[in-house]
Tab-separated table of all heavy atoms in Angstrom:
chain	number	residue	atom	x	y	z
C	1	SER	N	0.826	-1.203	0.000
C	1	SER	CA	0.000	0.000	0.000
C	1	SER	C	0.862	1.256	0.000
C	1	SER	O	0.623	2.196	-0.768
C	1	SER	CB	-0.910	0.019	1.230
C	1	SER	OG	-1.664	-1.159	1.341
C	2	ASN	N	1.862	1.267	0.866
C	2	ASN	CA	2.648	2.471	1.120
C	2	ASN	C	3.995	2.497	0.391
C	2	ASN	O	4.597	3.559	0.255
C	2	ASN	CB	2.888	2.629	2.618
C	2	ASN	CG	1.604	2.773	3.400
C	2	ASN	OD1	0.895	1.793	3.635
C	2	ASN	ND2	1.273	3.981	3.799
C	3	HIS	N	4.448	1.357	-0.071
C	3	HIS	CA	5.735	1.263	-0.756
C	3	HIS	C	5.593	1.853	-2.156
C	3	HIS	O	4.705	1.477	-2.917
C	3	HIS	CB	6.149	-0.211	-0.846
C	3	HIS	CG	7.564	-0.418	-1.263
C	3	HIS	ND1	8.016	-1.575	-1.859
C	3	HIS	CD2	8.661	0.384	-1.171
C	3	HIS	CE1	9.301	-1.479	-2.114
C	3	HIS	NE2	9.724	-0.297	-1.700
C	4	ILE	N	6.466	2.778	-2.508
C	4	ILE	CA	6.320	3.528	-3.765
C	4	ILE	C	7.633	3.565	-4.545
C	4	ILE	O	8.709	3.367	-3.975
C	4	ILE	CB	5.867	4.980	-3.492
C	4	ILE	CG1	6.786	5.632	-2.458
C	4	ILE	CG2	4.408	5.024	-3.061
C	4	ILE	CD1	6.604	7.097	-2.292
C	5	PRO	N	7.556	3.839	-5.864
C	5	PRO	CA	8.778	4.044	-6.645
C	5	PRO	C	9.368	5.426	-6.360
C	5	PRO	O	8.632	6.374	-6.089
C	5	PRO	CB	8.277	3.957	-8.089
C	5	PRO	CG	6.852	4.401	-8.020
C	5	PRO	CD	6.337	3.952	-6.682
C	6	LEU	N	10.674	5.530	-6.434
C	6	LEU	CA	11.334	6.835	-6.286
C	6	LEU	C	12.707	6.782	-6.946
C	6	LEU	O	13.557	5.962	-6.578
C	6	LEU	CB	11.497	7.215	-4.811
C	6	LEU	CG	12.241	8.535	-4.550
C	6	LEU	CD1	11.491	9.724	-5.127
C	6	LEU	CD2	12.481	8.735	-3.043
C	7	ALA	N	12.899	7.639	-7.931
C	7	ALA	CA	14.209	7.813	-8.569
C	7	ALA	C	14.454	9.303	-8.746
C	7	ALA	O	13.517	10.065	-9.000
C	7	ALA	CB	14.272	7.092	-9.913
C	8	ILE	N	15.712	9.710	-8.604
C	8	ILE	CA	16.078	11.132	-8.677
C	8	ILE	C	17.328	11.293	-9.536
C	8	ILE	O	18.307	10.554	-9.374
C	8	ILE	CB	16.334	11.715	-7.273
C	8	ILE	CG1	15.085	11.552	-6.386
C	8	ILE	CG2	16.734	13.184	-7.358
C	8	ILE	CD1	15.281	12.000	-4.958
C	9	ARG	N	17.282	12.271	-10.432
C	9	ARG	CA	18.434	12.585	-11.288
C	9	ARG	C	18.800	14.058	-11.134
C	9	ARG	O	17.950	14.916	-11.261
C	9	ARG	CB	18.096	12.307	-12.760
C	9	ARG	CG	19.262	12.527	-13.726
C	9	ARG	CD	18.792	12.434	-15.173
C	9	ARG	NE	19.901	12.404	-16.126
C	9	ARG	CZ	20.538	13.478	-16.592
C	9	ARG	NH1	20.185	14.701	-16.173
C	9	ARG	NH2	21.526	13.348	-17.461
C	10	PHE	N	20.062	14.333	-10.849
C	10	PHE	CA	20.557	15.710	-10.802
C	10	PHE	C	22.082	15.677	-10.875
C	10	PHE	O	22.767	15.725	-9.853
C	10	PHE	CB	20.083	16.420	-9.536
C	10	PHE	CG	20.535	17.855	-9.434
C	10	PHE	CD1	20.597	18.673	-10.565
C	10	PHE	CD2	20.899	18.398	-8.217
C	10	PHE	CE1	21.032	19.984	-10.474
C	10	PHE	CE2	21.328	19.718	-8.118
C	10	PHE	CZ	21.387	20.510	-9.251
C	11	PRO	N	22.635	15.547	-12.080
C	11	PRO	CA	24.094	15.416	-12.234
C	11	PRO	C	24.878	16.517	-11.531
C	11	PRO	O	25.938	16.261	-10.955
C	11	PRO	CB	24.300	15.477	-13.753
C	11	PRO	CG	23.002	15.031	-14.326
C	11	PRO	CD	21.946	15.528	-13.374
C	12	GLY	N	24.347	17.742	-11.559
C	12	GLY	CA	25.056	18.847	-10.941
C	12	GLY	C	25.125	18.768	-9.432
C	12	GLY	O	25.932	19.452	-8.807
C	13	GLY	N	24.285	17.923	-8.839
C	13	GLY	CA	24.256	17.825	-7.386
C	13	GLY	C	24.544	16.435	-6.866
C	13	GLY	O	24.253	16.127	-5.711
C	14	MET	N	25.117	15.587	-7.719
C	14	MET	CA	25.448	14.220	-7.310
C	14	MET	C	26.907	13.923	-7.638
C	14	MET	O	27.376	14.186	-8.733
C	14	MET	CB	24.559	13.201	-8.040
C	14	MET	CG	23.105	13.226	-7.634
C	14	MET	SD	22.178	11.928	-8.510
C	14	MET	CE	20.534	12.192	-7.829
C	15	LYS	N	27.603	13.342	-6.684
C	15	LYS	CA	28.991	12.954	-6.928
C	15	LYS	C	29.075	11.625	-7.663
C	15	LYS	O	30.044	11.370	-8.374
C	15	LYS	CB	29.746	12.866	-5.588
C	15	LYS	CG	29.888	14.189	-4.864
C	15	LYS	CD	30.621	14.012	-3.549
C	15	LYS	CE	30.747	15.338	-2.804
C	15	LYS	NZ	31.425	15.164	-1.487
C	16	LYS	N	28.075	10.790	-7.464
C	16	LYS	CA	28.103	9.459	-8.073
C	16	LYS	C	26.694	9.034	-8.432
C	16	LYS	O	25.801	9.052	-7.591
C	16	LYS	CB	28.743	8.450	-7.123
C	16	LYS	CG	28.993	7.088	-7.749
C	16	LYS	CD	29.714	6.174	-6.772
C	16	LYS	CE	29.986	4.812	-7.411
C	16	LYS	NZ	30.662	3.889	-6.464
C	17	SER	N	26.493	8.653	-9.684
C	17	SER	CA	25.173	8.218	-10.137
C	17	SER	C	25.090	6.693	-10.164
C	17	SER	O	26.079	5.998	-9.891
C	17	SER	CB	24.892	8.791	-11.527
C	17	SER	OG	25.859	8.315	-12.454
C	18	GLY	N	23.912	6.183	-10.526
C	18	GLY	CA	23.720	4.751	-10.639
C	18	GLY	C	23.681	4.025	-9.306
C	18	GLY	O	23.856	2.800	-9.250
C	19	ARG	N	23.441	4.758	-8.233
C	19	ARG	CA	23.438	4.135	-6.901
C	19	ARG	C	22.043	3.631	-6.524
C	19	ARG	O	21.033	4.226	-6.882
C	19	ARG	CB	23.911	5.134	-5.846
C	19	ARG	CG	25.380	5.495	-5.957
C	19	ARG	CD	25.783	6.520	-4.907
C	19	ARG	NE	25.176	7.828	-5.166
C	19	ARG	CZ	24.635	8.613	-4.229
C	19	ARG	NH1	24.586	8.216	-2.974
C	19	ARG	NH2	24.135	9.787	-4.562
C	20	VAL	N	22.011	2.540	-5.776
C	20	VAL	CA	20.775	2.008	-5.192
C	20	VAL	C	20.815	2.324	-3.702
C	20	VAL	O	21.748	1.923	-2.996
C	20	VAL	CB	20.649	0.494	-5.416
C	20	VAL	CG1	19.373	-0.035	-4.758
C	20	VAL	CG2	20.653	0.170	-6.909
C	21	ILE	N	19.812	3.060	-3.224
C	21	ILE	CA	19.797	3.558	-1.844
C	21	ILE	C	18.858	2.716	-0.990
C	21	ILE	O	17.701	2.469	-1.352
C	21	ILE	CB	19.354	5.034	-1.811
C	21	ILE	CG1	20.228	5.879	-2.731
C	21	ILE	CG2	19.365	5.559	-0.376
C	21	ILE	CD1	21.696	5.884	-2.378
C	22	ASP	N	19.347	2.285	0.173
C	22	ASP	CA	18.545	1.493	1.105
C	22	ASP	C	17.882	2.333	2.195
C	22	ASP	O	17.029	1.824	2.926
C	22	ASP	CB	19.411	0.420	1.782
C	22	ASP	CG	19.876	-0.655	0.813
C	22	ASP	OD1	19.239	-0.817	-0.245
C	22	ASP	OD2	20.893	-1.331	1.112
C	23	ASP	N	18.274	3.586	2.336
C	23	ASP	CA	17.705	4.442	3.382
C	23	ASP	C	16.185	4.488	3.269
C	23	ASP	O	15.623	4.557	2.174
C	23	ASP	CB	18.233	5.871	3.254
C	23	ASP	CG	19.717	5.973	3.535
C	23	ASP	OD1	20.475	5.140	3.011
C	23	ASP	OD2	20.122	6.900	4.250
C	24	PHE	N	15.511	4.499	4.412
C	24	PHE	CA	14.060	4.660	4.439
C	24	PHE	C	13.737	6.157	4.344
C	24	PHE	O	14.201	6.962	5.158
C	24	PHE	CB	13.483	4.082	5.728
C	24	PHE	CG	13.305	2.590	5.673
C	24	PHE	CD1	14.404	1.740	5.667
C	24	PHE	CD2	12.034	2.031	5.607
C	24	PHE	CE1	14.247	0.367	5.602
C	24	PHE	CE2	11.866	0.651	5.541
C	24	PHE	CZ	12.974	-0.182	5.534
C	25	VAL	N	12.969	6.505	3.334
C	25	VAL	CA	12.555	7.890	3.125
C	25	VAL	C	11.049	7.914	2.924
C	25	VAL	O	10.436	6.910	2.544
C	25	VAL	CB	13.264	8.528	1.908
C	25	VAL	CG1	14.774	8.555	2.125
C	25	VAL	CG2	12.933	7.777	0.627
C	26	ASP	N	10.441	9.074	3.185
C	26	ASP	CA	8.998	9.174	2.973
C	26	ASP	C	8.628	10.580	2.522
C	26	ASP	O	9.479	11.463	2.414
C	26	ASP	CB	8.220	8.747	4.224
C	26	ASP	CG	8.383	9.695	5.399
C	26	ASP	OD1	8.096	10.908	5.240
C	26	ASP	OD2	8.780	9.257	6.500
C	27	PHE	N	7.346	10.779	2.257
C	27	PHE	CA	6.870	12.021	1.654
C	27	PHE	C	6.998	13.246	2.554
C	27	PHE	O	6.909	14.370	2.064
C	27	PHE	CB	5.422	11.862	1.214
C	27	PHE	CG	5.256	11.176	-0.121
C	27	PHE	CD1	3.990	10.814	-0.574
C	27	PHE	CD2	6.344	10.901	-0.931
C	27	PHE	CE1	3.821	10.195	-1.803
C	27	PHE	CE2	6.196	10.282	-2.160
C	27	PHE	CZ	4.919	9.931	-2.596
C	28	THR	N	7.195	13.065	3.855
C	28	THR	CA	7.412	14.250	4.691
C	28	THR	C	8.722	14.939	4.317
C	28	THR	O	8.925	16.117	4.619
C	28	THR	CB	7.447	13.895	6.195
C	28	THR	OG1	8.546	13.006	6.458
C	28	THR	CG2	6.139	13.252	6.648
C	29	ASP	N	9.616	14.222	3.623
C	29	ASP	CA	10.927	14.770	3.266
C	29	ASP	C	10.890	15.686	2.043
C	29	ASP	O	11.839	16.434	1.804
C	29	ASP	CB	11.912	13.630	2.965
C	29	ASP	CG	12.145	12.701	4.143
C	29	ASP	OD1	12.165	13.189	5.285
C	29	ASP	OD2	12.310	11.483	3.908
C	30	ILE	N	9.834	15.596	1.238
C	30	ILE	CA	9.851	16.296	-0.052
C	30	ILE	C	9.857	17.813	0.116
C	30	ILE	O	10.606	18.528	-0.560
C	30	ILE	CB	8.681	15.831	-0.932
C	30	ILE	CG1	8.942	14.393	-1.398
C	30	ILE	CG2	8.491	16.757	-2.132
C	30	ILE	CD1	7.846	13.792	-2.247
């Protein structure tokens, strides 16, 4: 119910792309 897709792209603000993140994040962070 609550598990959602999330991908973010911003080359200018990322040191390394193509990473898979395990951190738990939610919509209060947006």
